[in-house]
Amino acid sequence: EGIRYNLMVNGLPTGGYVHDLRLNNLSVFDEGSFVASSREQRLEIEIRTNGGIVAGEVHDAMKQLVDAATVVLVPEAPRRGNSFLYKRTTTDASGKFSFTGVAPGDYRVLALRVAPPTGAEEDPEYLMPFIGRGTAVRTTQATTSDAHLRVIEPQSCE
């Protein structure tokens, strides 16, 4: 019984990330949400400032760099319930992208020619056809992981 809460944390410094989320000293980080009851509970959010960086470039089938591609960082299961772990950006004019403040762990990075709807990368059904075409990366604190991606083109409508 109770209400399910999701949290959003804004204004983190460069390199900052949410390291843990604890409710009554029990980590709920992987789920990313929690149910609060009517009795008093203690919520702790642990922030660290030495997050990893995932950076790279996106190219097409002809090995041309792709500008304005949407790049999403998706945590590996079982951490996909945690919104803090997802990130989204767009490639610059030279096909490059960068994510800072990435919590240590394993991720998939996908580059999409057509931007998905806001938050779609957190929907398992939306993600299913694309996730296997992503590039696996592992981040650790204060390190940079390189990812060279091939853009995923929209499905042709024939």
Side-chain angles (χ1 to χ4, degrees):
E1 243 178 77
I3 300 171
R4 178 162 294 278
Y5 289 91
N6 291 304
L7 298 176
M8 184 183 298
V9 176
N10 294 316
L12 291 175
T14 302
Y17 66 96
V18 175
H19 176 73
D20 200 4
L21 182 62
R22 291 182 298 275
L23 186 64
N24 297 330
N25 294 323
L26 178 69
S27 179
V28 292
F29 186 74
D30 287 349
E31 298 85 23
S33 65
F34 59 92
V35 175
S37 66
S38 56
R39 62 184 169 76
E40 188 174 317
Q41 295 179 300
R42 178 186 176 99
L43 176 67
E44 296 175 52
I45 301 173
E46 183 178 344
I47 306 288
R48 294 200 177 167
T49 56
N50 57 350
I53 296 170
V54 175
E57 60 189 26
V58 176
H59 57 83
D60 62 17
M62 306 304 289
K63 306 263 191 264
Q64 300 297 308
L65 292 169
V66 179
D67 69 327
T70 298
V71 182
V72 292
L73 184 72
V74 178
E76 288 288 12
R79 300 189 332 159
R80 290 206 179 125
N82 188 337
S83 294
F84 291 130
L85 298 175
Y86 291 83
K87 291 186 180 283
R88 180 192 282 222
T89 193
T90 305
T91 56
D92 65 15
S94 58
K96 297 194 181 324
F97 69 91
S98 176
F99 297 108
T100 60
V102 179
D106 294 315
Y107 296 85
R108 289 242 166 218
V109 191
L110 300 103
L112 302 156
R113 174 85 68 180
V114 176
T118 302
E121 59 270 22
E122 295 187 44
D123 178 352
E125 281 188 41
Y126 180 88
L127 205 56
M128 188 63 68
F130 305 115
I131 197 70
R133 297 168 67 187
T135 299
V137 295
R138 171 171 285 168
T139 61
T140 56
Q141 292 179 343
T143 60
T144 299
S145 304
D146 290 320
H148 298 281
L149 311 177
R150 181 164 164 184
V151 71
I152 299 171
E153 303 287 356
Q155 299 300 316
S156 56
C157 302
E158 295 178 28

